[in-house]
Amino acid sequence: MSFSKFSGIFLLMLTSLTACDRLGLPDPARDAAARESDARATGSACRHAGRAIEDCYALNPDAARAAVYAGWKEMNDYMRENKIDVVKPEMAKSDPPKAEESSASASAKAPK
């Protein structure tokens, strides 16, 4: 077998393996890295929002604590160095239904 045939076969095999991620095959290393980076980002966001690390753990029980803490600490150091203030989260709270509306809807649903 000549070198050119071998290199051609090798290149063909190499290019076919580069598309394995498109086949949907699981990659545990890539999944673990993604979970860790998500947990670090969560910790960082918690610190930027002024949340205590314990609150961050409670709000995100599925995230890896070590990665959450690493992100929280990294953001804490960054905020101190650059004198960045905490940004309080501002989510629009949905108003609970008014008493009149809830009693009217309850009486409409009641069997007669």
Side-chain angles (χ1 to χ4, degrees):
M1 192 181 235
S2 71
F3 179 73
S4 63
K5 285 185 179 181
F6 180 71
S7 63
I9 292 172
F10 179 73
L11 287 175
L12 179 62
M13 289 175 57
L14 185 64
T15 55
S16 68
L17 291 176
T18 59
C20 285
D21 61 333
R22 294 183 185 197
L23 296 175
L25 299 175
D27 184 3
R30 185 178 59 211
D31 294 343
R35 282 192 305 274
E36 182 172 346
S37 65
D38 285 346
R40 286 178 75 98
T42 298
S44 181
C46 281
R47 174 59 187 107
H48 193 248
R51 290 197 172 99
I53 190 69
E54 294 82 9
D55 294 342
C56 194
Y57 292 152
L59 291 170
N60 303 285
D62 295 336
R65 286 183 168 214
V68 170
Y69 176 73
W72 191 93
K73 186 176 182 327
E74 195 174 282
M75 179 57 82
N76 184 56
D77 296 344
Y78 180 79
M79 289 173 71
R80 280 187 184 186
E81 274 181 24
N82 296 297
K83 297 177 177 74
I84 297 174
D85 292 330
V86 169
V87 177
K88 293 290 181 186
E90 294 182 20
M91 294 179 58
K93 294 182 180 179
S94 59
D95 294 328
K98 294 179 183 174
E100 301 156 0
E101 293 175 2
S102 61
S103 64
S105 63
S107 62
K109 293 179 183 176
K112 293 182 181 179

